[in-house]
Amino acid sequence: MSRFPQSRLRRLRQSAPVRNLVRETSLEARQLVLPMFVREGLTEQAPIGSMPGVVQHSLDSLRAAAVEAAEAGVGGVMLFGVPEVRDAQGSGADDPDGILNVATAALVAEVGDALVVQTDLCLDEFTDHGHCGVLAPSTGSGTQPSVDNDATLDRYRSMALAQARAGSHLLGLSGMMDGQVAALREALDSEGFQDTLLLAYSAKYASAFYGPFREAVDSQLQGDRRTYQMDPGNRREGVREALFDVDEGADIVMVKPAMGFLDVLREVRDAVDVPVWAYQVSGEYAMVEAAAANGWINRDAAILESLMSIRRAGADAVLTYWAVEAARWLR
Ligand code: PBG
């Protein structure tokens, strides 16, 4: 009987009420996380040219925007800091007076009961060379600088403790160093931070779609991150990364970017039993905004379809620059 003409698949699409009743995937405000940028020394918010509608915040505008996010019902905010001064070790990252830690404490005080306040744990915004870790001593002229994995773990431990002391609820481990989850879980537990959540950016690909983000954080990066971020051609390896991170104690794992890697997202979802998140990155945002600005695409429908697709592929929650706007539509 599962055959035309007795069976007609269009019966399930005949009206909005029927479609609403049989839709397999839901999208809710609480499943959205808003990434936010705070820049040291700003007295008012500043636009980001390649991400129309997204800004670098001052401390004051950050607080106000986080209150708006809470009122819209989003699940959390992910904070990125842009320091005034950078150095080879990324000293601003674990300085309790560094912009990210100061802003974290301010947000926790302001919205800490309503939102999961999350912080990016990576050195790239704080280093003068723009890499996600500290560099190994040069091995001669003409060679690409090499990021020293284990020396970077020491910096990450110190950064994790600084963020936890500032009150961060959840650390977003975006640096793609081997062993980072285990190292930070141990460092946090030994200082009494058993409740600080660890989100592992497990399958983070070396992607061209991070382009606009580099403007958002004034990235100093020369070269690329292909010796630590993943090759976009690899799917099995993405699953392997996620399994490693769960084994090391990750509370949540992530796939990033989202739309180009929905197959990886599905495989990771099927392979692990922890929550799986996805990051809809700056380039995904910029593409839709640019097409919409040209009148080439229905902006709001494209945004909702993209978020629904990421949820359908297996994401329990989505980091998206449209979090607040989409949350308002969904309520
Ligand atoms: C690194 C980091 C990056 C993004 C989030 N965390 C950039 C990179 O890896 O080069 C990109 C996010 C986006 O493009 O929206 N700390």
Side-chain angles (χ1 to χ4, degrees):
M1 268 288 275
S2 59
R3 254 221 199 129
F4 183 83
Q6 292 85 358
S7 287
R8 288 176 179 270
L9 295 173
R10 286 183 54 192
R11 269 201 291 270
L12 290 168
R13 300 173 202 144
Q14 63 186 282
S15 68
V18 172
R19 291 193 298 274
N20 286 339
L21 194 57
V22 302
R23 186 169 306 120
E24 299 171 34
T25 308
S26 66
L27 180 62
E28 299 173 41
R30 68 177 179 89
Q31 297 160 337
L32 305 176
V33 174
L34 176 70
M36 304 179 90
F37 304 103
V38 60
R39 179 172 186 162
E40 192 171 20
L42 282 187
T43 50
E44 53 190 275
Q45 64 182 49
I48 299 165
S50 53
M51 300 178 74
V54 180
V55 300
Q56 293 181 331
H57 281 290
S58 67
L59 273 173
D60 285 342
S61 75
L62 180 80
R63 272 194 289 260
V67 169
E68 276 184 33
E71 284 166 0
V74 307
V77 293
M78 172 64 77
L79 199 51
F80 294 89
V82 186
E84 242 161 11
V85 181
R86 297 171 155 106
D87 60 26
Q89 306 296 313
S91 304
D94 53 335
D95 179 350
D97 297 322
I99 183 63
L100 180 54
N101 299 320
V102 168
T104 300
L107 279 198
V108 169
E110 191 83 36
V111 294
D113 294 333
L115 292 178
V116 180
V117 176
Q118 317 176 20
T119 44
D120 184 56
L121 198 147
C122 189
L123 283 174
D124 64 316
E125 286 95 29
F126 298 93
T127 50
D128 54 11
H129 45 74
H131 277 290
C132 294
V134 293
L135 303 182
S138 169
T139 49
S141 62
T143 49
Q144 271 239 48
S146 146
V147 173
D148 185 332
N149 193 89
D150 298 12
T152 298
L153 294 184
D154 286 335
R155 298 290 299 125
Y156 283 4
R157 284 187 190 93
S158 175
M159 197 176 176
L161 292 174
Q163 293 186 354
R165 288 183 188 120
S168 178
H169 299 145
L170 178 152
L171 313 187
L173 278 47
S174 66
M176 288 301 284
M177 293 302 124
D178 287 329
Q180 61 184 8
V181 175
L184 298 197
R185 184 72 274 157
E186 193 194 310
L188 290 166
D189 288 357
S190 71
E191 295 284 322
F193 294 108
Q194 284 87 355
D195 289 336
T196 305
L197 291 151
L198 293 182
L199 161 66
Y201 287 43
S202 300
K204 179 175 180 179
Y205 289 87
S207 172
F209 292 90
Y210 305 149
F213 176 94
R214 307 251 163 106
E215 182 191 338
V217 299
D218 293 330
S219 173
Q220 307 297 306
L221 182 67
Q222 313 273 321
D224 59 57
R225 306 199 199 283
R226 283 184 284 188
T227 65
Y228 43 106
Q229 296 182 348
M230 287 181 55
D231 185 326
N234 293 355
R235 185 177 64 194
R236 288 192 307 262
E237 191 186 346
V239 176
R240 191 164 179 231
E241 284 276 2
L243 292 171
F244 263 59
D245 287 343
V246 170
D247 198 49
E248 289 182 30
D251 298 292
I252 303 164
V253 296
M254 179 135 86
V255 174
K256 175 187 180 182
M259 286 185 77
F261 299 86
L262 295 181
D263 57 331
V264 181
L265 185 53
R266 168 49 55 189
E267 287 220 14
V268 169
R269 172 64 290 167
D270 290 343
V272 302
D273 52 12
V274 299
V276 178
W277 291 6
Y279 197 140
Q280 184 176 52
V281 301
S282 57
E284 300 178 64
Y285 176 90
M287 282 196 297
V288 172
E289 291 291 348
N294 278 293
W296 296 339
I297 199 169
N298 178 334
R299 175 181 181 275
D300 299 0
I303 292 170
L304 284 175
E305 183 179 321
S306 69
L307 292 170
M308 184 64 86
S309 299
I310 296 164
R311 285 266 306 134
R312 188 200 64 238
D316 298 295
V318 186
L319 276 79
T320 174
Y321 299 98
W322 291 303
V324 171
E325 193 176 4
R328 289 190 182 125
W329 299 335
L330 294 168
R331 291 189 107 199

